[in-house]
Amino acid sequence: MGKGPLAGVRVVELAGIGPGPFAAMLLADLGADVIRVDRVSAVKAGAATGGTDFSNRGKRSIAVDLKSERGREVVLGLVERSDVLLEGFRPGVTERLGLGPDDCLARNPGLVYGRMTGWGQEGALARSAGHDIGYIAVTGALHAIGRAGGPPQVPLNLLGDFAGGSMYLVVGVLSALLESKTSGRGQVVDAAIVDGTAHLSTFIHAMMAGGLWQDRRGSNMLDTGAPWYDVYETADGRHMAVGAIEPQFYAEFVRLLGQEGEEGLPAQNDRERWPELRERIAAVFRTRTRDEWAKVFLPSDACVAPVLSLKEAAEHPYNTEREVFLERDGHRQPAPAPRFSRTAAETDGVPALPGGQSRDVLTELGFEDVEGLLADGSVVQS
């Protein structure tokens, strides 16, 4: 559909929620032609997602009765004309619909079949319901996030659903697409949020194996245990984020904080005096507002930044200069990423799904008896 490094790649997305649609959005951002297959029942009930669901941007849509024989054939017809299929149902659901990997690969041996679940396709919990918070809990990641003496802190659903889920699904799909160029064969990509989140924690496990990380939260260099890697309240009740790890960056931090040469200032790595150092830093930050401190620290090598709200972030000069956010149809949203030097992503087509695309999509792709499919309800206008 659009421009980008994936121009010419067609993706069929069986409509779902959360990490699956986000993965499909990312492929659309990169130029793939993504056709979202909504359920007829959802469209009739007015529950098919669109509007301000930004994960639907850049996609086309059709609405199909997946339980009807003709509807199933429509999806398999899309599969024959596509490179990738994405689904995010519980294990066994697409098989029962006649749209499982065996069904689809029989119609298109070169298809990459991407599956997105929380627990994976096999295992004792595979068929259990779940959400991000439970998936990251069993990986140990949730246990590690929070302050010493306090409970685990929930990192929104960014860590599990989107980092451990969507991104690993996309990596798997792109890898399988690349391999298919030489083998001529597709394959199934089983992406599970538990697997991806555990893999993301490799660095922490390595530090723990090397004796550089304690298996308790709020006690380490990157989990607010160190006073030079934390957030501090300012005079106006807002916050500054400090990440001055390396000695040269810490020295710049101390200088700009106005503490260079101050008598009795604890050394950076004197763990016994970290509580004292934390209090010194906190007291200084409370003397100015967040925006006053931002002018002191940005730009610099002190590794300090203001903590912005979501609305503030969209309007921050650095983000506007970089066009990190864009506005479409009156709504601000994050822009496609990453960026490419030759095959720039198409952002003019970013708005969420318009309605009434089923007929147009099927006609363009050469389906026969489109009007008959619409007449008998196998397909409805999305």
Side-chain angles (χ1 to χ4, degrees):
M1 275 278 288
K3 300 176 182 177
L6 293 185
V9 173
R10 180 172 294 133
V11 178
V12 176
E13 175 199 354
L14 301 185
I17 61 172
F22 185 84
M25 181 208 76
L26 178 51
L27 295 174
D29 283 350
L30 296 175
D33 176 14
V34 178
I35 300 173
R36 178 182 173 97
V37 179
D38 282 310
R39 293 194 179 201
V40 166
S41 57
V43 172
K44 289 182 176 179
T49 51
T52 57
D53 184 350
F54 299 144
S55 67
N56 285 324
R57 70 187 186 191
K59 303 176 184 178
R60 299 190 286 172
S61 70
I62 65 171
V64 180
D65 181 359
L66 299 180
K67 295 183 179 180
S68 74
E69 183 60 30
R70 294 194 78 193
R72 172 181 172 275
E73 282 300 314
V74 167
V75 176
L76 291 174
L78 289 173
V79 164
E80 290 178 350
R81 297 163 168 82
S82 301
D83 305 286
V84 178
L85 180 141
L86 300 181
E87 63 95 356
F89 301 124
R90 292 198 206 188
V93 171
T94 56
E95 284 84 351
R96 291 195 296 273
L97 291 170
L99 298 171
D102 291 343
D103 304 296
C104 292
L105 286 165
R107 299 288 283 265
N108 180 358
L111 182 75
V112 173
Y113 192 107
R115 317 195 81 169
M116 181 77 262
T117 60
W119 303 112
Q121 296 296 317
E122 297 95 19
L125 298 176
R127 297 180 185 277
S128 300
H131 283 295
D132 178 293
I133 191 170
Y135 305 139
I136 68 173
V138 301
T139 67
L142 182 58
H143 166 82
I145 302 172
R147 294 189 176 276
Q153 295 296 308
V154 181
L156 303 182
N157 66 332
L158 301 179
L159 175 57
D161 281 349
F162 301 112
S166 302
M167 292 302 179
Y168 278 86
L169 177 60
V170 170
V171 168
V173 164
L174 295 181
S175 299
L177 273 176
L178 184 62
E179 191 276 339
S180 71
K181 299 300 181 184
T182 55
S183 70
R185 300 172 60 195
Q187 59 182 305
V188 179
V189 178
D190 173 10
I193 295 171
V194 169
D195 300 349
T197 304
H199 191 259
L200 284 170
S201 66
T202 299
F203 175 69
I204 303 302
H205 279 274
M207 293 185 69
M208 189 162 62
L212 300 175
W213 191 273
Q214 302 174 71
D215 195 15
R216 60 178 188 270
R217 59 184 161 273
S219 305
N220 302 284
M221 180 176 67
L222 302 174
D223 62 359
T224 73
W228 29 265
Y229 200 92
D230 206 344
V231 294
Y232 290 92
E233 187 175 2
T234 55
D236 54 351
R238 296 178 178 179
H239 295 85
M240 295 293 290
V242 178
I245 300 173
E246 292 82 359
Q248 67 274 26
F249 301 152
Y250 179 75
E252 180 71 351
F253 164 62
V254 170
R255 185 183 72 81
L256 292 176
L257 195 66
Q259 295 298 295
E260 186 177 35
E262 286 293 308
E263 184 178 352
L265 185 70
Q268 178 183 6
N269 293 313
D270 186 350
R271 280 181 169 264
E272 294 297 321
R273 299 184 66 190
W274 272 2
E276 180 185 349
L277 178 58
R278 188 185 305 277
E279 282 303 315
R280 291 278 291 267
I281 295 172
V284 176
F285 269 119
R286 286 194 292 266
T287 63
R288 300 187 190 183
T289 67
R290 184 199 65 181
D291 292 346
E292 288 172 338
W293 281 118
K295 292 178 181 179
V296 171
F297 283 106
L298 292 178
S300 77
D301 283 347
C303 301
V304 177
V307 178
L308 304 176
S309 72
L310 293 174
K311 289 184 177 180
E312 287 177 320
E315 299 170 356
H316 191 273
Y318 175 80
N319 292 329
T320 56
E321 178 187 10
R322 288 275 301 167
E323 297 183 335
V324 176
F325 296 87
L326 54 82
E327 187 168 324
R328 292 290 183 270
D329 294 341
H331 298 288
R332 193 72 61 86
Q333 56 187 283
R339 306 175 189 198
F340 300 86
S341 63
R342 291 190 300 103
T343 53
E346 176 63 75
T347 57
D348 290 339
V350 155
L353 295 168
Q357 295 183 313
S358 296
R359 177 185 283 106
D360 295 341
V361 171
L362 295 182
T363 301
E364 177 195 321
L365 296 181
F367 279 78
E368 297 180 358
D369 194 24
V370 174
E371 296 306 322
L373 291 167
L374 290 165
D376 70 14
S378 299
V379 176
V380 302
Q381 283 291 70
S382 55

